[in-house]
C-alpha cells in the first residue's frame, strides 16, 4: 500500500451560519475553497444552547448533495416537499437537492450537547437539475465494526467487508467515523483516484506527514492507503473520500452550478417561487 501523506493542513475556523449558529468550517474557506467533489465541511459542536438554538430556518439549495451526520443532539429536518426527518445522535441524512429543495434544520433540544457534521458533495452537470432525493438512516441501522481499540461506523462506502448505509452513486462517496484508543494505529486502503481527507474532532492523531489536532483537516496527497495513529488520549475522526468531477464550479451561497448564468437562473427561480420542481422520494430505515 502506498500510504498517502498530508498535502494540506487546514485549521477549521469558527463562523456564524443559519440564524446565528456557530460552526467550524474547513472546506469552503479561503484556505481550501473546494476539494473536488467536496464543496464545504461544517462541524457544529457546542454545549451552549445560545450557539445553536436559533438553528437553520427555511433556506434553499440547488445543484448538490448535503450529507448531515449527527454525533450528539437532535435536529429536525423539514422540507418544502413534505419530508420530515429526525436527526439524532449517530444518524445520517443524505439530501440530493439537485433541481431545488427548500428546507429547515432546527434543534429539538433546549440544552445539552449538539455535535455533528454537514458535508456538501457536488453533483455532476447532468444531475444538477435532476429530481431531488432523500435518504435518512437511524443510528441503529448504521453498521459498526468494533474491537481491539478500534471502532468504525460505516456511513457510506465499504470497510472490513461491510458497507455503509448511504449510497452516493455520483462520487462513490466513502464516509467513515473512526474512534481509536490511545496509541492505536489504523490503516485502510483509499481509492487512488479519489480526493480524500481526515478531520479530527476528538483527541489528537498522527498521520503520514504530521500531527493532527482537534478541528484540523488534513487533505491527503497521492497514494492508495491511509495510516493514522491515535495520540495519548485516543482520537476520533472522519475519513472521507470521493471521485472528483473535474467540472467548473460556480457557487453563490446555497446554489452551486457550472456557469454563472445557471446560478442567476437559480436566484430568479427562487425569487419567482419556481425553485422547487419535484417532490423528493424518501428512502431509509
Ligand atoms: Fe440546508
Amino acid at each position: 500500500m502506498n500510504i498517502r501523506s498530508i498535502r494540506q493542513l487546514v485549521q477549521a475556523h469558527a463562523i456564524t451560519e443559519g440564524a446565528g449558529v456557530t460552526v467550524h468550517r474547513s472546506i469552503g474557506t479561503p484556505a481550501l475553497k473546494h476539494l473536488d467533489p467536496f464543496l464545504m465541511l461544517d462541524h457544529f459542536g457546542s454545549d451552549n444552547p445560545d450557539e445553536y438554538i436559533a438553528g437553520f430556518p427555511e433556506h434553499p439549495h440547488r445543484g448538490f448533495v448535503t450529507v448531515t451526520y449527527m454525533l450528539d443532539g437532535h435536529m429536525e429536518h423539514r422540507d418544502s416537499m413534505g419530508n420530515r426527518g429526525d436527526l439524532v445522535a449517530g444518524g445520517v441524512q443524505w439530501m440530493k437537492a439537485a433541481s431545488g429543495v427548500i428546507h429547515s434544520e432546527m434543534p429539538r433540544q433546549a440544552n445539552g450537547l449538539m455535535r455533528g457534521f454537514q458535508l456538501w458533495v457536488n453533483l455532476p452537470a447532468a444531475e444538477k437539475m435532476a429530481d431531488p432525493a432523500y435518504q435518512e438512516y437511524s443510528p441503529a441501522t448504521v453498521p459498526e465494526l468494533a474491537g481491539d481499540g478500534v471502532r468504525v461506523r460505516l456511513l457510506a462506502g465499504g470497510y472490513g467487508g461491510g458497507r455503509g448505509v448511504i449510497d452516493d452513486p455520483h462520487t462513490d462517496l466513502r464516509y467513515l467515523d473512526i474512534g481509536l484508543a490511545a496509541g492505536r494505529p489504523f490503516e485502510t486502503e483509499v481509492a487512488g483516484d479519489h480526493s480524500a481527507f481526515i478531520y479530527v474532532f476528538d483527541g489528537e492523531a498522527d498521520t503520514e506527514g504530521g500531527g493532527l489536532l482537534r478541528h484540523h483537516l488534513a487533505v491527503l496527497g497521492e497514494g492508495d492507503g491511509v495510516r493514522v495513529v491515535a495520540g495519548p488520549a485516543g482520537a476520533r475522526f472522519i475519513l472521507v473520500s470521493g471521485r472528483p468531477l473535474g467540472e467548473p464550479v460556480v457557487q453563490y451561497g446555497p446554489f452551486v452550478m457550472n456557469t454563472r448564468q445557471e446560478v442567476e437562473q437559480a436566484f430568479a427561480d427562487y425569487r419567482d417561487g419556481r425553485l422547487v420542481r419535484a417532490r423528493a422520494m424518501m428512502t431509509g430505515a
Side-chain angles (χ1 to χ4, degrees):
M1 205 154 46
N2 179 14
I3 299 295
R4 293 176 178 232
S5 60
I6 298 175
R7 193 179 76 204
Q8 186 185 353
L9 195 58
V10 179
Q11 187 175 354
H13 62 257
I15 59 159
T16 302
E17 263 296 315
V21 180
T22 305
V23 303
H24 279 85
R25 182 166 295 172
S26 45
I27 302 173
T29 60
L32 182 60
K33 203 160 170 244
H34 302 131
L35 177 63
D36 188 12
F38 307 116
L39 302 164
M40 196 191 82
L41 180 68
D42 278 353
H43 174 41
F44 48 96
S46 177
D47 56 7
N48 175 4
D50 291 345
E51 292 182 351
Y52 63 72
I53 206 71
F56 304 90
E58 219 167 63
H59 59 277
H61 293 292
R62 174 180 278 180
F64 59 98
V65 165
T66 64
V67 181
T68 305
Y69 177 41
M70 291 298 286
L71 295 165
D72 295 286
H74 185 177
M75 295 258 272
E76 183 185 72
H77 160 95
R78 283 177 189 271
D79 66 39
S80 49
M81 302 151 292
N83 291 314
R84 185 193 162 279
D86 272 308
L87 296 167
V88 295
V92 61
Q93 178 210 59
W94 176 95
M95 187 184 79
K96 180 180 177 183
S99 59
V101 163
I102 297 173
H103 75 156
S104 63
E105 300 148 303
M106 299 299 288
R108 293 287 288 164
Q109 62 190 63
N111 49 51
L113 186 59
M114 168 83 80
R115 288 201 306 174
F117 288 99
Q118 187 166 86
L119 176 70
W120 288 13
V121 186
N122 205 2
L123 281 169
E127 291 290 332
K128 283 187 179 289
M129 293 304 284
D131 288 347
Y134 186 78
Q135 304 171 28
E136 186 187 300
Y137 292 90
S138 62
T141 62
V142 175
E144 189 173 303
L145 302 173
D148 202 16
V150 181
R151 187 181 74 135
V152 182
R153 303 195 79 236
L154 283 69
L155 303 169
Y159 175 77
R163 183 116 203 123
V165 282
I166 297 291
D167 180 31
D168 184 300
H170 314 298
T171 65
D172 275 336
L173 176 71
R174 187 186 192 212
Y175 193 146
L176 305 177
D177 165 9
I178 299 157
L180 301 178
R184 182 72 167 78
F186 173 84
E187 231 177 71
T188 186
E189 76 293 343
V190 176
D193 58 346
H194 282 197
S195 299
F197 68 85
I198 294 168
Y199 184 101
V200 176
F201 60 91
D202 268 338
E204 297 175 12
D206 282 320
T207 189
E208 202 70 21
L212 299 169
L213 303 173
R214 191 162 164 262
H215 292 315
H216 275 189
L217 180 141
V219 178
L220 301 177
E222 284 179 20
D224 57 8
V226 61
R227 181 179 160 84
V228 178
V229 182
R236 199 161 162 206
F237 60 95
I238 54 172
L239 167 64
V240 180
S241 61
R243 193 184 330 99
L245 300 173
E247 294 178 354
V249 176
V250 180
Q251 175 171 1
Y252 199 93
F255 307 127
V256 186
M257 305 301 286
N258 300 109
T259 67
R260 196 182 143 162
Q261 191 189 1
E262 289 167 346
V263 168
E264 285 168 2
Q265 186 65 50
F267 272 99
D269 286 351
Y270 183 48
R271 185 193 58 217
D272 300 340
R274 285 185 284 113
L275 187 88
V276 175
R277 299 177 177 210
R279 184 188 169 85
M281 298 309 291
M282 180 170 168
T283 53

